[in-house]
């Protein structure tokens, strides 16, 4: 039974059932990843940036003979973002290869098409069944990043302490839990606007103006994702020369997500990248004692950043790809049963 589903009003039993399926998917496809917890899962699934919408459907097993609601075995949601719909699909490993994944994508694609969007994008984790699935549905690979994972128990903290202070003269480094300080928001947004190409892929757009930046931080907080920021400030001008952003999600607080790291063009070559990332890790040791790992995503062409990550102890884990498809073509293909 497949139906549209609103996580805001869903019962706690449904949220718990979806979590069970999500963790079964992790166990099957990404067994090294930490299982997710229920904390803020409802908010994670329902909160969006102003102007964005997320529409969800679930596939639920038949009720039991005693009338208990069936488990949620599949889930799809699509985030309407600019002119693209960003899709996520999950099917419980026990019911895969029966056409449910394709049915869920068909539902979401039809809606995206009706709403007049041009294309659908999706993040696909390398070496999982999702690669063959999306390729069978006609999606094409647009972009590949490498996910790397840092095991904090293997970090040489003394060496990291030296890296954290190894920034050139004329700069200082600040740790900002929660958000950048108000007086630096504009300088922060300017730094992000200048270096668009070093950040994450297009499906996770960065925020370039102060208002959008505030909205984006607020959305993270509402979704249970605690942001931490380290800034390098250029002493003479007060400009933000570099920044790194990391999030500790309530849903998997032992593994943090390292987001954007940016060093503004004029300030490159002073050790800022290494220093701000090292300082972040040092601060997290006391701010987040539960944390055991950090994961990050980098473009394979970004050799400078991959080198710094390797020095810090990050190990490449697997490919993380972006696929996309023209919505009209997808709907026609699925409706024609191809
Ligand atoms: C990708 C996924 C949604 C597919 O669900 P599904 O219900 O098994 O998919 P379907 O049965 O509709 O498959 C449709 C087609 O995709 C292709 N396909 C799906 N899984 C495949 C696999 N393991 N190997 C090869 N082809 C596959 C086939 O062509 C299949 O058609 P066929 O069975 O008639 O040959 C499911 O594997 C899943 O939930 N993966 C996790 C996705 C995810 O988001 N992971 C992130 C966290 S780990």
């Amino acid at each position: 039974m497949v139906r549209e589903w609103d996580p805001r009003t869903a019962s706690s039993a449904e949220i718990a059932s979806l979590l069970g399926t999500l963790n079964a998917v992790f166990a099957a496809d990404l067994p090294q990843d930490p299982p997710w917890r229920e904390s803020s899962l409802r908010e994670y699934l329902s909160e969006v940036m102003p102007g964005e919408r997320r529409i969800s459907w679930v596939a639920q097993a038949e009720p039991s003979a005693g009338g208990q609601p069936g488990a949620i075995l599949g889930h799809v949601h699509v985030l309407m973002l600019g002119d693209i719909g960003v899709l996520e699909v999950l099917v419980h490993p026990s019911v895969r290869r029966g056409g449910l994944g394709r049915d869920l994508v068909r539902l979401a694609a039809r809606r995206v098409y009706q709403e007049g969007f041009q294309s659908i994008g999706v993040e696909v984790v390398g070496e999982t069944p999702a690669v063959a699935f999306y390729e069978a549905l006609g999606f094409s690979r647009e972009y590949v990043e490498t996910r790397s994972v840092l095991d904090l128990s293997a970090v040489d903290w003394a060496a990291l302490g030296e890296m954290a202070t190894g920034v050139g003269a004329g700069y200082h480094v600040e740790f900002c839990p929660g958000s950048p300080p108000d007086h630096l928001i504009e300088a922060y947004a300017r730094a992000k606007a200048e270096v668009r190409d070093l950040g994450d892929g297009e499906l996770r757009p960065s925020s370039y103006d102060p208002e959008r930046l505030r909205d984006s931080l607020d959305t993270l907080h509402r979704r249970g994702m605690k942001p931490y920021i380290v800034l390098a400030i250029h002493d003479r001008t007060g400009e933000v020369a570099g920044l790194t952003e990391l999030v500790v999600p309530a849903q998997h607080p032992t593994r943090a997500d390292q987001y954007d790291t940016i060093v503004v063009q004029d300030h490159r070559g002073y050790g800022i990248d290494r220093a701000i990332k090292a300082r972040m890790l040092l601060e997290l040791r006391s701010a987040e004692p539960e944390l055991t790992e950090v994961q990050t995503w980098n473009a394979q062409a970004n050799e400078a950043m991959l080198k710094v990550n390797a020095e810090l102890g990050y190990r490449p884990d697997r490919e993380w790809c972006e696929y996309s498809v023209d919505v009209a073509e997808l709907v026609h293909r699925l409706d024609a049963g191809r």
Side-chain angles (χ1 to χ4, degrees):
M1 186 179 71
V2 178
R3 62 184 161 91
E4 199 166 330
W5 183 75
D6 185 348
R8 273 166 297 208
T9 53
S11 69
S12 307
E14 285 175 354
I15 298 282
S17 182
L18 178 59
L19 177 67
T21 289
L22 178 66
N23 282 333
V25 166
F26 273 119
D29 294 353
L30 289 170
Q32 310 298 326
D33 279 43
W36 279 40
R37 304 178 185 179
E38 203 168 325
S39 39
S40 298
L41 182 58
R42 184 190 296 279
E43 291 74 17
Y44 178 84
L45 294 168
S46 39
E47 295 290 344
V48 289
M49 287 275 283
E52 291 174 5
R53 273 178 310 138
R54 189 186 285 114
I55 310 174
S56 311
W57 293 260
V58 290
Q60 192 166 13
E62 294 299 320
S64 71
Q68 291 293 326
I72 290 182
L73 297 174
H75 177 241
V76 58
H77 64 215
V78 60
L79 179 69
M80 308 295 199
L81 194 78
D83 60 353
I84 147 165
V86 180
L87 187 78
E88 277 189 52
V89 192
L90 284 181
V91 171
H92 195 288
S94 65
V95 294
R96 287 184 182 172
R97 295 309 290 271
L100 180 54
R102 186 186 270 129
D103 287 349
L104 291 170
V105 171
R106 182 188 294 118
L107 265 177
R110 278 192 190 141
R111 178 68 66 83
V112 174
Y113 182 58
Q114 281 161 9
E115 302 236 359
F117 285 73
Q118 288 287 311
S119 61
I120 288 185
V122 62
E123 272 190 11
V124 180
V125 185
E127 297 161 60
T128 71
V131 175
F133 173 73
Y134 287 108
E135 289 180 356
L137 266 50
F139 284 67
S140 45
R141 188 181 283 212
E142 300 292 342
Y143 191 72
V144 185
E145 289 188 317
T146 302
R147 182 179 74 167
S148 304
V149 179
L150 174 65
D151 172 0
L152 293 179
S153 70
V155 164
D156 177 346
W157 293 100
L160 206 75
E162 276 176 32
M163 289 183 199
T165 51
V167 63
Y171 297 94
H172 70 276
V173 174
E174 280 182 29
F175 174 59
C176 315
S179 93
D182 258 0
H183 70 278
L184 286 174
I185 286 266
E186 301 224 342
Y188 189 92
R190 269 198 300 280
K192 292 200 78 160
E194 198 196 292
V195 192
R196 289 175 178 223
D197 56 347
L198 286 186
D200 281 333
E202 282 173 22
L203 300 185
R204 263 177 277 153
S206 300
S207 302
Y208 305 122
D209 67 75
E211 197 186 320
R212 204 161 156 78
L213 185 63
R214 283 199 183 90
D215 285 344
S216 135
L217 288 162
D218 183 50
T219 308
L220 281 176
H221 282 286
R222 281 186 283 111
R223 298 182 81 202
M225 302 161 86
K226 206 190 301 175
Y228 288 95
I229 289 156
V230 172
L231 300 177
I233 311 287
H234 185 225
D235 292 328
R236 190 171 55 76
T237 59
E239 280 296 311
V240 169
L243 61 95
T244 189
E245 304 169 335
L246 176 144
V247 163
V248 178
Q251 300 82 17
H252 52 90
T254 60
R255 185 186 278 201
D257 297 335
Q258 167 79 59
Y259 284 11
D260 276 355
T261 298
I262 284 168
V263 180
V264 173
Q265 192 72 43
D266 288 352
H267 303 287
R268 295 195 187 155
Y270 299 97
I272 290 175
D273 182 1
R274 184 182 292 107
I276 57 182
K277 283 185 174 162
R279 172 72 179 272
M280 176 70 88
L281 295 171
L282 287 168
E283 295 284 355
L284 288 171
R285 257 188 121 185
S286 45
E288 293 285 341
E290 223 190 324
L291 200 65
T292 57
E293 294 169 313
V294 180
Q295 59 186 353
T296 193
W297 294 262
N298 291 106
Q300 288 168 343
N302 195 347
E303 283 171 26
M305 202 167 281
L306 288 171
K307 183 167 170 279
V308 168
N309 285 350
E311 282 175 43
L312 292 165
Y314 281 92
R315 296 282 164 262
D317 173 43
R318 52 173 85 212
E319 285 189 344
W320 221 263
C321 316
E322 281 177 23
Y323 278 73
S324 76
V325 71
D326 179 86
V327 182
E329 279 174 24
L330 177 64
V331 169
H332 294 143
R333 190 177 303 119
L334 289 171
D335 283 347
R338 281 180 283 133

